[in-house]
Amino acid sequence: MTAPLRLGTRGSALAMAQSGQVAEAVTAATGRPVELVEVVTAGDRSNAPVHRLGVGVFVSALRDALTAGTIDFAVHSYKDLPTAAAGGLHIAAVPARQDPRDALVARDRRTLAELPPGATVGTGALRRIAQLHALGLQLEVTPIRGNVDTRLARVLGPEADLDAVVLARAGLARLGRLDVITESLDPMLMLPAPAQGALAVECRVDDQDLVELLAVLDHAPSRAAVTAERAFLATLEAGCSAPVAAYAELAEGETGDEIYLRGAVISPDGTRDLRLSRTGTPADAAEIGKALAAELLELGADSILGHEGHTGPGTQQFGSTE
């Protein structure tokens, strides 16, 4: 009898849900049984704001377990991964990406435009805080932490103390909670984090049998989009305090598929908001991201990043999907 593959995952409801979905997909595609192995990360043990926790706080323990051989593969929210490559490890698959938009959950089913001046909106991401300020809606934006249920309770629970929260739509979808969304935010208003909505299925590079087995889950359009977004992020060398956003879409062009990449760097108070876009072929995804970042740097994005702690390549940490 074939031994189950050991899939490492964080223990939150969202992490367990998305890992469970990957496990089911692996078994359906290959016939191999998969068991979930919970791994506690540094980010799970801390209540500090995400942007103060450091690099890879939701990732490093899983990667340590992979390297040690106590698990066979891991599932990450791709936006949690630092852009620097991890030695000896390989992203074997990027499954089809969930809708990467941010979602508003508000009292009385209000949309963002219907929130009155002074309404309190909670979110854990500086990227979202910066863009909410940039909209000029006179909202009171409050940093929050916690899993999805904890955040929703701040709006929908009996002791609710906020008028709205902004979460990743993908996390709500994976938990079967799309019913609570009052508005899926147009990327023109709220550009997502690089790789938001995407998962990374990671294993050891020397486990070639598993590399080949997991490759069946890979979704080429999702991988190309994420590659462009993360190349943009890496080229900016943005630190964990820098609100950086990017969203790549694939569409049919005159000569085949094209990537349309939008990127932004926004000061936390929303007073400086630099946005550009660029197109190219999926084969050039990384180069598109690098070129768009270079254009924004020429426009002064480095001064925004520098004010917020320019820390060098591979140090990005945008926090858990939750």
Side-chain angles (χ1 to χ4, degrees):
M1 182 176 177
T2 303
L5 293 168
R6 299 164 299 170
L7 193 171
T9 177
R10 294 172 59 209
S12 71
L14 176 56
M16 295 294 283
Q18 62 195 27
S19 294
Q21 290 159 16
V22 170
E24 291 173 3
V26 170
T27 300
T30 69
R32 291 289 300 271
V34 179
E35 65 177 9
L36 300 186
V37 178
E38 182 178 341
V39 177
V40 178
T41 72
D44 298 316
R45 290 192 294 265
S46 173
N47 291 320
V50 169
H51 64 278
R52 295 180 184 170
L53 289 176
V55 180
V57 292
F58 297 106
V59 173
S60 58
L62 285 165
R63 285 181 158 173
D64 288 346
L66 260 181
T67 301
T70 56
I71 60 175
D72 299 307
F73 67 114
V75 173
H76 310 284
S77 292
Y78 210 151
K79 72 175 182 177
D80 289 349
L81 291 182
T83 54
L89 301 181
H90 172 66
I91 304 298
V94 180
R97 186 183 198 175
Q98 281 274 2
D99 187 331
R101 289 178 295 174
D102 286 307
L104 182 78
V105 180
R107 294 193 200 190
D108 304 321
R109 306 290 303 178
R110 288 179 172 174
T111 65
L112 192 61
E114 291 170 342
L115 292 175
T120 53
V121 181
T123 177
L126 283 177
R127 169 191 60 83
R128 295 183 184 127
I129 292 171
Q131 292 187 87
L132 286 168
H133 285 315
L135 291 173
L137 298 176
Q138 297 179 295
L139 302 172
E140 293 291 333
V141 186
T142 302
I144 60 173
R145 271 209 68 187
N147 60 31
V148 170
D149 285 334
T150 299
R151 297 186 190 203
L152 291 178
R154 300 285 300 269
V155 176
L156 305 177
E159 299 180 4
D161 62 339
L162 298 172
D163 294 302
V165 291
V166 181
L167 303 165
R169 190 182 191 280
L172 293 169
R174 292 187 177 113
L175 287 170
R177 300 299 307 274
L178 289 177
D179 58 300
V180 302
I181 296 175
T182 54
E183 183 181 10
S184 294
L185 299 175
D186 191 314
M188 294 297 290
L189 293 177
M190 181 76 68
L191 204 61
Q196 184 159 301
L199 300 178
V201 183
E202 189 171 50
C203 66
R204 291 180 294 278
V205 71
D206 60 3
D207 192 345
Q208 279 302 309
D209 289 342
L210 190 54
V211 168
E212 293 175 11
L213 183 148
L214 294 174
V216 71
L217 302 185
D218 196 60
H219 184 247
S222 295
R223 185 181 281 268
V226 168
T227 296
E229 293 166 12
R230 285 174 59 81
F232 171 79
L233 179 61
T235 304
L236 287 172
E237 300 183 2
C240 60
S241 296
V244 174
Y247 179 34
E249 298 177 274
L250 267 68
E252 186 175 343
E254 294 182 1
T255 58
D257 286 344
E258 288 186 346
I259 285 181
Y260 173 52
L261 173 64
R262 284 175 279 176
V265 177
I266 316 100
S267 64
D269 62 4
T271 58
R272 299 185 65 191
D273 187 351
L274 300 178
R275 298 173 187 256
L276 287 175
S277 63
R278 194 176 183 93
T279 60
T281 67
D284 295 326
E287 295 307 313
I288 296 167
K290 293 174 185 176
L292 184 60
E295 289 184 72
L296 281 172
L297 288 170
E298 289 177 3
L299 290 177
D302 54 340
S303 65
I304 298 176
L305 298 172
H307 292 158
E308 295 311 308
H310 196 62
T311 58
T315 60
Q316 295 74 19
Q317 176 62 45
F318 283 85
S320 163
T321 303
E322 298 166 319

